[in-house]
Amino acid sequence: MADLITQPNLPDPDGFYADLIKTYEALDEDAVSGFSARLILLLTNHIGDHDVISQAVEEAVRTNLKAEK
Amino acid sequence: MIHDRYSLAFKLYPYERNADQDSATPVRHPVVIVGGGPIGVATALDLGLQGIPVVVLDDHEGIGMGSRAICFAKRTLEIADRYGCGKPMLDKGIVWNLGKVFHDDRKVFEFNLLPEEGHKYPAFINLQQPFFEKFIVDRVRKAQAAGAPIQLRGKNRVDQVTVRDDHVVLDISTPEGTYTIEADWLIGCDGASSPLRGMMGLDFEGRVFQDSFLIADIKMLNDSFPTERWFWFEPYFKSGASTLLHRQPDDVWRVDFQIGWDVDRKEEMKEENIRRRLDAMLGPEVSYEMVWSSIYTFQCKRMERFRHGRVLFAGDAAHQVSPFGARGANSGIQDVDNLGWKLGMVLKGQAPERLLDTYDEERTFGADENILNSTRATDFITPKSKISHVFRNAVLDLAERHAFARPLVNSGRLSVPCTYDGMSLNGEDALPGPARTRPGSPCPDAPLGDGFLLSQLGNDFVILTINTDAPDTLQEDGVTARHVAVRSEDDTSGALAERYLGDASRAVYLIRPDQHVAARWDRYDETAIRAAMRTACAKD
């Protein structure tokens, strides 16, 4: 079973982050969730491993730190 | 008085006085079936063809009006073929393969069912339910003429059941008063709202979906559509949140509009209101007449158990699904296929009563599979939350451009027969053969000489040998398996080898009376086959 990579894996973290925010900021409030959904679907198909995706889903649920307090 | 709850398409079993009504003491029957719909009559046919006396009770005198179920799957046709009524269904039905999915005014993609070559029956036919039922009743009439002990009793309404340990007492109303009979075994095939289930106070648990659908079956007068299944999500013509268009025989089209939960049924059912939706969809130049219309809501639920002592439930009485995927009537016929031989063997003293517990084991498994598939389709078609709707439309947008998203589009996962993986009747799998014919699987058809393999299987246990030999029959504890021998020379298409041999050069299959694989080996081993026959009859 493949493990979800949680160590740094992006060659240019600042560049990636800037592009992501720029793309989101160009969207209307209404368009954001549809865009996110399409992005998630494209990326999950690319990963193609149900196990890894499940680990990512669990990790995303678990790291909602503000809700823990 | 017995009032009709619906009008009839075919009056096929009018009330006739029967001898039981004049008997001083209640007459005992081996099997009584409540409900003369497709599942009840097919069950009677299965048992009657085995020579088992069976009485069917229905509070009407024939088949109800209305197209209702229209999609019949290959497995259903194969089972009907085993009963001798598959051909008239195929002759009357419409064969279709192509489906198109639309979103708003755009075609998202199209799919072809790509039916595999080398099967006697197609993947699907469309046929109005009354015809499907009539062909089964016609077959019952022929079987009766040939001596099959089947009685269809119209206008016989069961008012009360008393369940005993080894029989059931039934109080019945007729236009000429009441009478009482007893049954060694009672089968409830009395539909989704099963009065029998109610009288016995049995549970029926599951999920209710808050949406209504309006069916309009129309006959096109000056136009036509291709023989394809068209499904719209959020159609531009705004006649429903989703819409289905599907062809039936006799130039009739099924149109199914999703119209929401809080609707005024009486208002929506007015012809001018139905026509308003249809005109928006078809355009003003298309003229048509209305054949049948109905508003339905649905639930996905099942009984916890399908066997309650001497009472067994089948079809919609036992389980209910959404119509997406055509898993209602098709799964009911699989119930019949599963129950018929088991009850037959128990009644003939060839198997212990606990064989009937495996009807419950296998068919609740099948029902769960159908409920899972139809629930998922329903959640995709009618999203229950804002975010579910967002993802659904994201999938549709992506599917228009990219193949990867198309398998996520779910406008119904069409009925396929259940493989009884891991169930207690399965024997060993001692063949390095194809996965699709592992124990528990329904036998796939294959061309064989001038005919087809499935025509040679079923009704009895069969020892199927491929490129090897076996005795003509084998008897184990009162049960006879007959031998069917086939060789690669008969398999000119190679389909048999692909479906039953895989990498093996020869094979021996033990096949149940319902054409499911019980066990398989790479050679004939009498001891192993005897053990598998005992297992498949719930004796070990």
Side-chain angles (χ1 to χ4, degrees):
Chain A
M1 175 173 127
D3 281 335
L4 179 71
I5 299 168
T6 53
Q7 293 301 311
N9 196 35
L10 289 165
D12 175 16
D14 289 349
F16 152 73
Y17 191 78
D19 286 351
L20 185 70
I21 296 306
K22 197 173 147 200
T23 310
Y24 266 101
E25 281 183 340
L27 299 171
D28 294 346
E29 204 71 10
D30 291 346
V32 164
S33 55
F35 169 79
S36 295
R38 290 192 298 277
L39 186 62
I40 289 167
L41 291 166
L42 283 160
L43 294 175
T44 47
N45 182 67
H46 185 85
I47 294 163
D49 183 330
H50 199 133
D51 255 357
V52 170
I53 295 162
S54 296
Q55 292 172 55
V57 168
E58 278 166 36
E59 203 46 45
V61 169
R62 202 179 307 145
T63 46
N64 186 4
L65 300 181
K66 200 171 171 188
E68 278 178 19
K69 284 172 190 163
Chain B
M1 256 318 273
I2 301 182
H3 295 287
D4 282 340
R5 289 173 290 117
Y6 47 81
S7 49
L8 299 183
F10 301 109
K11 187 169 176 174
L12 294 182
Y13 37 86
Y15 172 75
E16 283 173 39
R17 194 169 182 84
N18 67 75
D20 293 357
Q21 288 167 273
D22 301 312
S23 171
T25 52
V27 175
R28 175 79 71 96
H29 295 272
V31 182
V32 172
I33 294 169
V34 185
I39 307 310
V41 177
T43 305
L45 180 57
D46 188 310
L47 294 166
L49 290 173
Q50 298 180 59
I52 292 162
V54 50
V55 174
V56 179
L57 305 171
D58 195 279
D59 62 348
H60 287 69
E61 295 181 296
I63 294 163
M65 196 81 102
S67 321
R68 294 167 290 148
I70 59 162
C71 286
F72 294 95
K74 176 162 63 197
R75 184 62 198 147
T76 296
L77 298 170
E78 290 169 351
I79 294 165
D81 195 59
R82 183 163 75 77
Y83 297 150
C85 51
K87 190 170 182 302
M89 295 172 183
L90 182 61
D91 289 347
K92 176 80 184 171
I94 296 259
V95 177
W96 63 276
N97 290 310
L98 198 65
K100 289 182 178 158
V101 176
F102 303 88
H103 186 198
D104 196 359
D105 59 351
R106 302 183 308 277
K107 186 171 90 176
V108 178
F109 70 104
E110 59 183 60
F111 61 89
N112 193 318
L113 294 179
L114 279 180
E116 193 181 52
E117 292 290 312
H119 292 254
K120 184 171 178 184
Y121 284 94
F124 267 93
I125 62 164
N126 283 4
L127 179 69
Q128 293 90 331
Q129 184 175 333
F131 289 118
F132 179 77
E133 295 189 48
K134 184 175 183 299
F135 295 138
I136 303 174
V137 175
D138 289 348
R139 179 68 186 94
V140 165
R141 295 306 183 199
K142 266 195 207 155
Q144 287 172 318
I150 305 169
Q151 295 183 49
L152 303 182
R153 296 184 183 171
K155 281 252 195 262
N156 274 243
R157 187 184 67 206
V158 176
D159 287 335
Q160 195 179 318
V161 289
T162 311
V163 182
R164 307 269 188 228
D165 283 348
D166 63 349
H167 70 283
V168 181
V169 183
L170 297 127
D171 296 322
I172 299 162
S173 281
T174 74
E176 297 181 301
T178 59
Y179 70 108
T180 300
I181 57 173
E182 294 174 353
D184 289 335
W185 296 91
L186 179 67
I187 309 175
C189 305
D190 52 347
S193 59
S194 175
L196 178 64
R197 204 180 55 220
M199 282 184 257
M200 291 177 64
L202 297 171
D203 61 274
F204 200 45
E205 298 290 319
R207 196 169 146 200
V208 179
F209 288 85
Q210 298 203 325
D211 225 314
S212 321
F213 292 79
L214 169 70
I215 290 179
D217 279 1
I218 56 173
K219 188 162 192 153
M220 296 278 183
L221 299 178
N222 65 347
D223 209 340
S224 186
F225 288 97
T227 306
E228 299 171 354
R229 178 188 195 264
W230 288 5
F231 191 95
W232 283 265
F233 293 97
E234 302 175 327
Y236 64 93
F237 46 80
K238 310 280 183 214
S239 300
S242 68
T243 298
L244 174 77
L245 176 73
H246 215 175
R247 188 180 189 175
Q248 304 171 46
D250 304 328
D251 298 318
V252 174
W253 265 261
R254 161 69 50 91
V255 187
D256 196 345
F257 299 115
Q258 179 194 343
I259 60 171
W261 182 241
D262 292 316
V263 293
D264 180 339
R265 281 177 166 246
K266 214 172 146 193
E267 196 60 28
E268 294 295 345
M269 283 293 284
K270 285 183 180 162
E271 179 161 343
E272 74 248 37
N273 289 329
I274 299 175
R275 279 185 177 271
R276 190 175 310 127
R277 289 183 191 272
L278 286 164
D279 292 345
M281 171 185 177
L282 301 169
E285 65 284 350
V286 175
S287 79
Y288 55 87
E289 61 188 43
M290 310 270 305
V291 176
W292 180 67
S293 57
S294 171
I295 289 181
Y296 68 92
T297 57
F298 57 81
Q299 302 164 3
C300 287
K301 46 166 99 169
R302 72 162 170 92
M303 297 178 74
E304 193 190 342
R305 286 179 292 129
F306 295 175
R307 180 184 174 197
H308 292 264
R310 290 296 181 113
V311 186
L312 298 138
F313 289 86
D316 283 357
H319 45 76
Q320 220 191 328
V321 292
S322 80
F324 311 119
R327 289 168 181 268
N330 287 306
S331 68
I333 292 293
Q334 289 173 53
D335 292 346
V336 176
D337 191 37
N338 193 285
L339 179 58
W341 67 274
K342 292 176 180 175
L343 184 55
M345 288 186 76
V346 169
L347 280 161
K348 287 180 252 176
Q350 295 172 332
E353 261 189 40
R354 65 172 177 273
L355 181 58
L356 292 167
D357 291 332
T358 71
Y359 164 71
D360 175 83
E361 180 194 23
E362 293 182 338
R363 294 312 301 162
T364 55
F365 178 78
D368 285 345
E369 193 174 277
N370 288 319
I371 287 170
L372 178 71
N373 277 289
S374 91
T375 300
R376 285 174 171 176
T378 307
D379 284 339
F380 192 88
I381 293 165
T382 65
K384 298 300 173 297
S385 62
K386 204 176 156 198
I387 192 65
S388 170
H389 192 218
V390 165
F391 268 97
R392 199 279 303 275
N393 285 359
V395 166
L396 291 173
D397 285 350
L398 289 165
E400 207 173 310
R401 296 269 173 84
H402 304 290
F404 90 86
R406 289 168 200 160
L408 297 172
V409 176
N410 191 345
S411 66
R413 299 286 182 229
L414 292 168
S415 173
V416 287
C418 185
T419 296
Y420 302 125
D421 276 322
M423 305 272 115
S424 53
L425 297 187
N426 293 354
E428 60 186 323
D429 186 2
L431 179 79
R436 67 190 286 184
T437 40
R438 66 190 182 277
S441 309
C443 287
D445 207 355
L448 209 58
D450 299 335
F452 285 90
L453 175 66
L454 283 191
S455 312
Q456 300 193 39
L457 308 178
N459 301 323
D460 311 301
F461 275 94
V462 166
I463 298 166
L464 172 71
T465 60
I466 304 171
N467 299 334
T468 184
D469 212 10
D472 283 347
T473 58
L474 181 70
Q475 263 215 337
E476 170 60 28
D477 192 23
V479 179
T480 304
R482 63 185 166 87
H483 178 209
V484 171
V486 301
R487 311 201 72 86
S488 288
E489 295 91 273
D490 310 318
D491 178 31
T492 46
S493 72
L496 181 81
E498 186 204 323
R499 294 166 200 174
Y500 289 85
L501 285 175
D503 296 330
S505 58
R506 58 179 188 191
V508 177
Y509 281 78
L510 178 67
I511 293 163
R512 310 187 332 188
D514 60 2
Q515 300 174 333
H516 278 253
V517 175
R520 62 180 183 176
W521 303 267
D522 61 0
R523 66 199 161 86
Y524 181 77
D525 175 344
E526 188 184 310
T527 312
I529 292 183
R530 286 184 185 281
M533 282 175 71
R534 296 183 64 84
T535 302
C537 295
K539 289 172 178 169
D540 289 325

